[in-house]
Amino acid sequence: MATALRYLEPGEVRAWRPAGAAHIRVEIAGDRTILTALLKRAFPLSEPLQLLSIQDGAGKEVGILRTMEGLDPQTREVFDAQLDRRYFTPRIERIESLRQEAGMWKFGVVTQRGATEFYVRNWRDSATEIQPNRWHITSADGGRFEIPNLEGLDAESRRLMDQLL
């Protein structure tokens, strides 16, 4: 039996992280408090601040928050931190090396957080152009990386990427 979507307004939702707790708690006014709440974006790339699924610890959806606009400052801070952790995707600013190694592509890159290396097993299955010149790459270990604007990279980075494109 399918259940109807329950939409929540910002004024109905309050969130906090108890001291020392690993999970956030979410109170829905007049209904319940979720002791182990999960927060997921319905459209993480195109609408990151709209339509957020609030779920219980078992992953069962309790409701969908239409927008983060209008949340109280504490709740907004808790939600921002939770979403940053869940959807952290380093932006590749420069590609320093790219070579095949053991049947995989080994990337040496510089991101907004510094230099790192990662492997990609199968380029066609692991990379998606989500908008013109904007690439999302999933590494062999499940990490996510983004090239926000391929044309905006330096000439050497673009030359290295030409091996894959």
Side-chain angles (χ1 to χ4, degrees):
M1 179 173 134
T3 58
L5 290 177
R6 178 178 178 197
Y7 288 100
L8 304 168
E9 298 301 328
E12 297 178 82
V13 178
R14 190 173 72 86
W16 68 98
R17 181 183 306 278
H23 299 282
I24 65 171
R25 292 190 179 167
V26 174
E27 177 184 3
I28 299 172
D31 184 20
R32 69 183 87 176
T33 298
I34 307 163
L35 300 178
T36 306
L38 303 171
L39 191 62
K40 296 180 181 176
R41 290 176 168 141
F43 301 101
L45 298 174
S46 61
E47 295 292 340
L49 303 178
Q50 310 291 322
L51 301 174
L52 303 174
S53 174
I54 298 174
Q55 302 174 0
D56 64 19
K60 183 176 182 225
E61 189 168 80
V62 176
I64 297 186
L65 180 65
R66 292 179 187 274
T67 180
M68 293 216 325
E69 302 278 331
L71 288 172
D72 70 79
Q74 177 188 334
T75 297
R76 179 64 187 254
E77 184 178 320
V78 168
F79 278 9
D80 281 341
Q82 188 74 9
L83 291 167
D84 283 349
R85 257 191 302 285
R86 175 177 288 280
Y87 293 99
F88 176 66
T89 304
R91 290 182 313 278
I92 296 173
E93 297 174 345
R94 187 171 69 248
I95 301 170
E96 295 190 325
S97 64
L98 177 63
R99 64 181 181 278
Q100 279 203 296
E101 198 174 283
M104 294 190 277
W105 287 98
K106 181 179 181 182
F107 282 76
V109 301
V110 175
T111 72
Q112 80 274 24
R113 295 270 179 109
T116 191
E117 294 181 336
F118 63 92
Y119 289 88
V120 172
R121 259 193 191 84
N122 181 329
W123 177 253
R124 290 179 188 223
D125 293 337
S126 302
T128 306
E129 188 175 25
I130 55 177
Q131 292 177 340
N133 288 311
R134 182 178 176 197
W135 286 84
H136 185 265
I137 303 167
T138 303
S139 68
D141 65 358
R144 296 179 297 229
F145 296 85
E146 180 181 3
I147 300 174
N149 180 7
L150 183 63
E151 293 301 316
L153 293 177
D154 63 276
E156 179 61 13
S157 296
R158 290 192 314 273
R159 186 191 69 74
L160 291 168
M161 282 298 292
D162 282 345
Q163 297 176 64
L164 299 170
L165 308 174

